[in-house]
Amino acid sequence: MHSDDPYVMSAYVKLLVADAERSASFYELLGFTRAHQDPVFVHLRWAPHADLFLIATPPGVSLAGQRGLGVIVCFSATGDLGIETIAARAAAAGAGVDGPRDQPWHTREVVVTDPDGYRLCFVEPSTPLPG
């Protein structure tokens, strides 16, 4: 499948954001690409079948409290972009960055906080994958 070919998504994440363009630019800095955009949402793709939708918060609606409390959205970072690069890009943009650090479940992970306070985890194996 070519990365631009349409497909039915069996799962995806929608995030309500204060400023869809600002958030989309941040996500692109981390390595996401825009698959589609309209005035209400931005469809981002990390990899085939790893999609994310940024939804503009409707006018007059305010969301009280911390965004995504207790939720971490994870993406595999086994492609061209390593987690050190992702962490450096996020830090340079002023985002909160935790890690990279090795986890006891055999991964190396970095958690990045986006402009709206959502936490994203980028994960790579800490031991070589079996061939």
Side-chain angles (χ1 to χ4, degrees):
M1 170 197 317
H2 187 270
S3 65
D4 293 335
D5 290 343
Y7 54 82
V8 175
M9 291 174 270
S10 55
Y12 53 90
V13 175
K14 290 181 181 178
L15 301 176
L16 286 175
V17 296
D19 181 333
E21 184 56 39
R22 176 192 69 180
S23 293
S25 294
F26 175 78
Y27 280 77
E28 287 175 317
L29 175 75
L30 298 180
F32 287 80
T33 58
R34 288 187 204 213
H36 179 76
Q37 179 174 346
D38 71 20
V40 179
F41 74 91
V42 179
H43 175 185
L44 297 170
R45 181 163 294 141
W46 177 252
H49 302 283
D51 296 87
L52 180 72
F53 290 85
L54 303 176
I55 311 297
T57 303
V61 173
S62 65
L63 299 176
Q66 182 180 342
R67 303 280 176 100
L69 183 62
V71 175
I72 301 174
V73 181
C74 298
F75 296 92
S76 174
T78 57
D80 296 337
L81 226 59
I83 60 173
E84 283 80 10
T85 300
I86 295 167
R89 288 179 178 185
V97 176
D98 180 15
R101 69 181 77 248
D102 290 323
Q103 299 295 347
W105 41 87
H106 309 291
T107 61
R108 187 159 170 74
E109 302 179 1
V110 63
V111 176
V112 173
T113 303
D114 83 355
D116 290 283
Y118 293 109
R119 294 184 312 153
L120 313 166
C121 182
F122 296 91
V123 182
E124 62 187 20
S126 60
T127 57
L129 293 173

